[in-house]
Amino acid sequence: MLKKIDIKPTDDLPGVIFDPQKNFFMIFGRILPEDGRIFFNPLLEWVAEYVKDPNDYTELHFKLDYYNSSTARMLTKLIVELEKILETGKKIKVVWEYAIDDEVIKERGEELKSISYLPFELRVIS
Amino acid sequence: MNNNTIFQFFNHLKNDKISFAYRGSFSNSVLAMATELIKNNMDAEHSKLRNKLSFLMIESFQNIARYADSEAFPEPETNSDFFMTRNIGSTFYIISANLVSNDKVASIRERLERVNTLDKKELNDLYREVLTNKQINQKGGAGLGFIEMVRKSKGKLPFDFVKASETHSMFFMQIELKNPNVESEQEPAKIEEAKAIQTLIAENDILMMHKGSFTSDAISPVLRMVEDNMNSMKLKVQKKIYHFLVEILQNISKHSYVINNDREGIFLIGFKDGVFNLGTGNYIENDKIENLKTQLDHVNMLSKEALSDLYRKYLREGRETETGSAGLGLIDLARETDDNINYSFTKVTDEYSFYSLTVKF
């Protein structure tokens, strides 16, 4: 089984927990690197391995305050990579969490949902 | 605020390595952020001045509170309290401006003229005398603030009063802190310059102005400061302003023209009649202008729907550039602003030009 990822959030970079054993996947906080690739490429490599032999049901939670446009592209890449799970016959779902008054994050979730083939739930949190 | 305003500001501040100005109501959080911003972003050669500079900024800031006439409502608003810190050559300047009632002008003037003529020993004597004689004025200052400013800065305190109404005057004061270890051929900045900048800021309804070198390390404290000052605004407005600044400042740090290892840039946040105006400016190589213009004209021409479609397309398919951002930044700004992205290029030399943007929310 893949080694779990547990990255603590900073001012500029998000927290990431990818834990296949506990079946818990979450990206949270704010993301504003100048070049999103430096942070995300290792995550993408991890996910590329994971999708070869994923859990029966994977639920990826996003709980973000803010992200920049360099990151938007990387999040999309992550989602596109996860679409490979659909080909294995196993289940996957994205849960996009947003605070009730946070229209910006809600709209961005809707946008990502519209370009993704994954089951994609927008979930308001209080 | 328009693109011409930004160029005017940049010209006023062209010798400033770093400068920060704030207009409006003052709170300790603004002070904390301003000091943090300057401390984090000042050149390493001035690092020994850090503590002194913080101390003097706090004194200056509290001086506004001490002498400000809390009863006076700034009318017109161009007389709002004003605070600025700037570094030119080897010297840091801390400028404050606030309304005082006309009947206090004479006594403030007298105190300042007095401390400005004393030498070191005389200042120490006066300091002790004021402390022991307890001739504390009703605001608790006894001129100790001025004495401390002169003692700590080892410089004079230039000041001026500008009549604002029958009852009040704007009180301008400048603290000067020179770094003794740095040689500089720069002309010292006069208080008249600070007055001109205050006028420009007030007339253009600017709340905050910052000029500096926007390298990636320098951006975080700027963003934190802006964020902490937006608490009272609606979340959506906060996020839009924040988003604009992230994209633009990162753009400056990536693409602006480098002079003396600096990626100089300026940003301004203005507010008028319920609308936020954001402006930025930086240098850019002349041979990058055509391409950039084409991109700007293109996104300005598209409807919001078309911009959204294009954005989604780029998200999914990508348009790999050297930094991987796929031109998303500009599309995103164009669809978030209520109007077009207004831009302007002003040629500075054969090598580079000044490039500015303004948007409204």
Side-chain angles (χ1 to χ4, degrees):
Chain A
M1 192 171 262
L2 268 169
K3 206 163 166 260
K4 76 164 182 178
I5 292 183
D6 187 352
I7 299 172
K8 300 275 173 278
T10 67
D11 271 355
D12 307 343
L13 293 170
V16 180
I17 301 168
F18 287 173
D19 189 341
Q21 204 162 2
K22 291 185 180 147
N23 203 17
F24 185 77
F25 303 86
M26 183 176 229
I27 300 180
F28 59 99
R30 68 167 74 190
I31 325 180
L32 39 114
E34 252 179 57
D35 183 344
R37 292 174 299 185
I38 297 163
F39 183 81
F40 279 97
N41 279 349
L43 291 183
L44 285 166
E45 283 168 26
W46 192 96
V47 171
E49 278 304 309
Y50 177 76
V51 297
K52 289 178 190 164
D53 183 21
N55 291 349
D56 288 343
Y57 177 64
T58 306
E59 198 172 273
L60 172 59
H61 287 250
F62 287 99
K63 194 175 181 177
L64 302 174
D65 296 323
Y66 176 77
Y67 59 89
N68 62 353
S69 60
S70 167
T71 299
R73 172 86 180 112
M74 302 314 292
L75 294 182
T76 312
K77 278 192 171 179
L78 197 70
I79 287 168
V80 169
E81 189 65 39
L82 286 169
E83 286 169 358
K84 289 183 183 158
I85 290 181
L86 298 174
E87 296 159 19
T88 66
K90 291 184 175 165
K91 287 196 161 46
I92 159 107
K93 179 170 145 186
V94 172
V95 178
W96 186 268
E97 302 181 19
Y98 65 95
I100 190 148
D101 57 346
D102 195 342
E103 291 170 56
V104 175
I105 284 295
K106 183 185 175 209
E107 282 166 14
R108 285 169 177 257
E110 286 166 351
E111 188 160 66
L112 280 173
K113 179 179 177 166
S114 77
I115 59 166
S116 159
Y117 297 112
L118 295 178
F120 201 115
E121 181 195 345
L122 292 157
R123 186 181 290 173
V124 66
I125 47 168
S126 47
Chain B
M1 188 203 312
N2 56 36
N3 285 295
N4 189 33
T5 325
I6 299 171
F7 193 53
Q8 257 180 297
F9 268 105
F10 208 74
N11 270 337
H12 266 288
L13 304 168
K14 65 171 178 285
N15 294 323
D16 290 45
K17 288 285 278 182
I18 180 168
S19 61
F20 169 79
Y22 183 88
R23 186 183 69 98
S25 60
F26 281 66
S27 68
N28 282 330
S29 72
V30 177
L31 172 63
M33 293 307 142
T35 43
E36 196 207 359
L37 178 72
I38 300 291
K39 270 162 68 179
N40 280 326
N41 292 359
M42 65 202 284
D43 283 353
E45 62 179 6
H46 299 305
S47 60
K48 280 189 176 163
L49 294 185
R50 266 189 195 147
N51 289 339
K52 254 188 191 175
L53 189 66
S54 298
F55 174 88
L56 288 168
M57 283 172 76
I58 293 165
E59 279 293 327
S60 165
F61 217 79
Q62 291 175 342
N63 200 52
I64 294 179
R66 192 176 299 140
Y67 289 99
D69 186 345
S70 53
E71 306 286 297
F73 189 72
E75 192 60 54
E77 274 193 47
T78 43
N79 292 323
S80 300
D81 293 345
F82 171 80
F83 177 81
M84 180 174 180
T85 304
R86 60 197 305 210
N87 168 225
I88 302 169
S90 58
T91 308
F92 284 82
Y93 301 87
I94 302 162
I95 299 118
S96 61
N98 57 284
L99 279 180
V100 295
S101 93
N102 284 338
D103 55 24
K104 284 189 198 151
V105 169
S107 83
I108 297 174
R109 183 187 295 277
E110 190 194 306
R111 280 183 213 157
L112 279 168
E113 279 171 354
R114 189 170 175 204
V115 295
N116 275 343
T117 55
L118 300 179
D119 64 23
K120 193 180 167 190
K121 184 180 175 302
E122 291 168 324
L123 275 170
N124 286 340
D125 290 348
L126 178 63
Y127 185 71
R128 201 165 310 131
E129 184 195 325
V130 172
L131 274 183
T132 51
N133 279 356
K134 301 198 178 82
Q135 24 162 292
I136 306 290
N137 69 11
Q138 70 260 47
K139 292 272 184 183
L144 267 183
F146 294 151
I147 301 171
E148 273 296 76
M149 290 174 201
V150 176
R151 278 171 21 127
K152 280 273 177 1
S153 70
K154 300 192 168 66
K156 304 288 177 212
L157 297 174
F159 64 94
D160 200 5
F161 294 93
V162 178
K163 200 171 172 191
S165 71
E166 284 308 309
T167 53
H168 289 85
S169 297
M170 279 298 269
F171 165 38
F172 288 86
M173 187 177 70
Q174 177 165 292
I175 304 173
E176 303 174 358
L177 177 65
K178 197 173 180 324
N179 186 342
N181 303 319
V182 173
E183 291 288 322
S184 169
E185 288 166 11
Q186 297 283 359
E187 284 284 312
K190 301 233 168 32
I191 193 164
E192 280 71 25
E193 291 179 31
K195 283 162 65 182
I197 292 167
Q198 187 270 340
T199 305
L200 204 55
I201 285 199
E203 285 176 355
N204 287 287
D205 302 291
I206 303 232
L207 302 175
M208 192 186 286
M209 180 281 297
H210 178 44
K211 185 205 169 195
S213 179
F214 293 119
T215 55
S216 35
D217 292 346
I219 293 177
S220 287
V222 174
L223 290 171
R224 269 205 298 280
M225 180 195 63
V226 173
E227 191 184 24
D228 286 356
N229 275 292
M230 295 194 300
N231 289 333
S232 58
M233 298 175 198
K234 275 177 65 181
L235 190 64
K236 188 167 185 178
V237 176
Q238 282 185 31
K239 290 218 169 181
K240 279 191 172 188
I241 292 177
Y242 191 80
H243 185 60
F244 175 81
L245 286 175
V246 170
E247 297 297 333
I248 286 294
L249 296 181
Q250 292 189 337
N251 210 47
I252 293 176
S253 115
K254 279 191 287 197
H255 299 303
S256 77
Y257 185 74
V258 180
I259 300 173
N260 300 329
N261 291 322
D262 278 338
R263 292 186 187 272
E264 282 202 325
I266 185 170
F267 80 83
L268 301 128
I269 302 178
F271 183 71
K272 193 182 188 184
D273 303 330
V275 176
F276 281 93
N277 295 290
L278 278 85
T280 63
N282 59 277
Y283 292 127
I284 182 171
E285 266 165 87
N286 287 337
D287 53 19
K288 285 187 183 170
I289 292 177
E290 266 324 299
N291 181 32
L292 190 52
K293 253 188 189 163
T294 313
Q295 290 184 39
L296 284 160
D297 289 339
H298 182 60
V299 296
N300 274 340
M301 191 190 70
L302 296 175
S303 68
K304 300 290 176 211
E305 291 73 30
L307 286 166
S308 271
D309 288 347
L310 190 61
Y311 189 83
R312 284 165 210 236
K313 181 174 180 289
Y314 281 178
L315 268 188
R316 183 85 204 181
E317 296 165 15
R319 203 201 72 182
E320 297 295 338
T321 64
E322 52 179 358
T323 45
S325 67
L328 283 171
L330 213 51
I331 303 170
D332 208 15
L333 290 181
R335 65 184 187 149
E336 292 284 354
T337 172
D338 293 341
D339 193 8
N340 276 344
I341 300 177
N342 295 302
Y343 67 86
S344 149
F345 295 94
T346 311
K347 192 174 170 184
V348 182
T349 69
D350 285 341
E351 190 77 8
Y352 62 91
S353 296
F354 186 73
Y355 162 47
S356 62
L357 290 179
T358 52
V359 296
K360 284 185 172 59
F361 295 118

